[in-house]
Amino acid sequence: RAWLGEVLYDFPSPSYGELENGFALMEQLFTDYTDNELITITVNPHAVYTCSPDLLSRLGRFAAEGQALLHIHLAENADEDALCRERFGVGPVRHLDKLGLLGKRTLAAHCVVLDDEEIDLLARRGVKVAHCAESNMKLASGIAPVPAMLDAGVCVGIGTDGSASNNDVDMFGEMNSVAKVHKAALMDSTVMDAETTLSAATRGGAAALGAQGLIGSLEAGKKADLIVVDFDRPHLSPVYNPVSHLVYAVRGSDVVHSMINGRLVMKNRKILTLDEPAILAEMGEIRREILAMQG
Amino acid sequence: RAWLGEVLYDFPSPSYGELENGFALMEQLFTDYTDNELITITVNPHAVYTCSPDLLSRLGRFAAEGQALLHIHLAENADEDALCRERFGVGPVRHLDKLGLLGKRTLAAHCVVLDDEEIDLLARRGVKVAHCAESNMKLASGIAPVPAMLDAGVCVGIGTDGSASNNDVDMFGEMNSVAKVHKAALMDSTVMDAETTLSAATRGGAAALGAQGLIGSLEAGKKADLIVVDFDRPHLSPVYNPVSHLVYAVRGSDVVHSMINGRLVMKNRKILTLDEPAILAEMGEIRREILAMQG
């Protein structure tokens, strides 16, 4: 199950060329995936420093008309904040708000550089936040004020970001990092306890996507998106607190079965829906091409 | 291969009872493991807040006479620093120095709360540091100034600390955290790069134990302590930079073979030297006893 979209910005993209082609591609995606049970198309302005106010507004209207999620990288680091203040006189959060783009279907990735008023504004507007702790650490963006956002009532989901800034894209490793980094940053071992962290990774993620009625917890009436973790492995024995174990000790390789929408896609660690050797072989080819390009 | 010791402090221990029994146990350990190829006994005062100056000095003499490693938790958090200043008028590092206990065979765990002069003092005395980033994060102790210590010439090895403060004791997860947390703390994505982090985890750890001539790197003449990592797994494909992969993407479960002192102890993920089912069964028994004690 995925929420996908083509990222748009003011300059040509290696993916689609000129901006207008990007709009055409986005419209095509919405057409192709109407009523798809597993793929939801989103509207994706890249960020306030790569998208003019006109482009942001245009994409905002597009998202509003389609009732689509508006996904944007927001307040990711000090450079973005400084550039936005220089160009527009306000930080990224207030800049988006002036454009009318902070709302319940706005999913803001990162949100590292925020003051208390900006946190309150995100909460009042019902903006959802995708917290990507490991990416923020690796890129030296900083540490997002997640406990303060949760206190203010902001809906926070946990993301891994992509493999460019988080090599392992392992949600279990990410929960481990999220639970730990805020304790160190705030010098308080009680913040982001295992329950809060697991909740942000599951229910929080679902709510951030506006899909809390469909996924995010094991409840009658929800879609069967679930994983089975093998707690009998030596490094997970013994178990006293399963929630603490999920956050602090389980790793992605402990997942033995995976089901999406009621369909088993991995059974006993074997992927049932993809040709793994063919994909690995293709990846090997791409690797050789890239190495050849590097000379 | 292990460096082991019984931890001593001013009060009775559940392990050995009265302090003098602890000294007797320690002496017995030194006798029993003389010339053992794999086990080296260390002298372990717990910390400056649990050991009187007299006990610290006595253990220091004991270590000096036996040419043993003196291992102590040092400057782990603000409470320890404050208590030490209140009792002795100086912070933990200077307190140990006044007692003559900072030297080349001193292995100090944590070293989170340090000023620049304390870092210089550790460097001048040749003290070795065991950096336990995940434990420091989970316990909200703070973030050790590792890049500054390395710049000052302090030998830093990476440790996981124990399972009480780091549930998974996975050195690969620990490298991942070490490489990331300092980038976030110093807002500098270039600190603790993959090479530096891998070096601290391998050569640094060996040097911290005074064993750089024996282990820590794959070199002719060193003991064959080595692991084999399976880089062909899907989540590790493709590989462009093996060192970056080891730090940011590999996890403990990717280790397929393990050799200690030239002897294979794990082959194809199967432990050859321990009765795994028996250990798991015993752990299950202990778990039941603990749950029963909890009522």
Side-chain angles (χ1 to χ4, degrees), chain A residues 1 37-38 211 213-228 257-266:
Chain A
R1 191 182 301 279
E37 260 206 289
L38 295 175
L214 292 180
I215 55 171
S217 62
L218 300 178
E219 283 176 79
K222 286 196 175 181
K223 302 294 180 186
D225 280 14
L226 53 89
I227 56 173
V228 175
H257 311 310
S258 180
M259 179 178 274
I260 301 170
N261 219 33
R263 181 186 182 198
L264 212 52
V265 295
M266 181 173 75

Side-chain angles (χ1 to χ4, degrees), chain B residues 47-84:
Chain B
V48 299
Y49 57 98
T50 46
C51 297
S52 68
D54 277 356
L55 176 56
L56 289 172
S57 296
R58 190 175 161 194
L59 286 168
R61 287 192 300 273
F62 203 102
E65 282 161 19
Q67 299 284 302
L69 216 58
L70 185 82
H71 175 275
I72 186 166
H73 303 81
L74 189 68
E76 183 172 357
N77 57 46
D79 284 349
E80 173 189 340
D81 187 77
L83 204 80
C84 189

Side-chain angles (χ1 to χ4, degrees), chain A residues 134 137-138 140-141 167-168 170 180 183 187-189 234 237-240 248 251 253 276 283 287 290, chain B residues 134 137-138 140-141 167 170 180 183 187-189 234 237-240 248 251 253 276 283 287 290:
Chain A
E134 292 196 357
M137 292 163 82
K138 191 174 182 199
S141 305
N167 313 54
D168 61 11
D170 177 349
K180 283 174 177 153
K183 292 174 171 60
M187 298 292 269
D188 180 351
S189 62
S237 302
V239 181
Y240 292 99
Y248 292 114
R251 49 198 171 206
S253 48
E276 203 174 290
M283 237 170 2
R287 175 177 172 275
I290 290 175
Chain B
E134 292 196 357
M137 291 163 83
K138 191 174 182 198
S141 305
N167 313 54
D170 178 349
K180 282 173 180 155
K183 292 173 171 58
M187 299 291 271
D188 180 352
S189 62
S237 301
V239 182
Y240 291 100
Y248 292 114
R251 49 199 171 206
S253 50
E276 202 174 292
M283 235 168 4
R287 175 177 172 275
I290 289 175

Side-chain angles (χ1 to χ4, degrees), chain A residues 70-128:
Chain A
L70 185 82
H71 176 276
I72 186 166
H73 302 80
L74 189 67
E76 182 172 357
N77 57 46
D79 284 350
E80 173 189 340
D81 187 77
L83 203 78
C84 188
R85 283 172 200 277
E86 190 189 309
R87 280 192 201 158
F88 307 112
V90 290
V93 170
R94 290 192 186 80
H95 177 58
L96 276 199
D97 195 45
K98 284 187 171 183
L99 294 169
L101 296 182
L102 293 187
K104 288 183 168 53
R105 280 182 288 90
T106 306
L107 175 56
H110 304 302
C111 292
V112 175
V113 184
L114 299 177
D115 62 29
D116 289 346
E117 286 175 21
E118 288 164 332
I119 291 173
D120 281 342
L121 185 55
L122 293 176
R124 284 205 309 280
R125 297 286 188 257
V127 170
K128 314 301 193 293

Side-chain angles (χ1 to χ4, degrees), chain B residues 232-253:
Chain B
D232 279 337
R233 298 190 171 187
H235 72 283
L236 299 178
S237 301
V239 182
Y240 291 100
N241 179 334
V243 173
S244 170
H245 244 41
L246 285 168
V247 171
Y248 292 114
V250 170
R251 49 199 171 206
S253 50

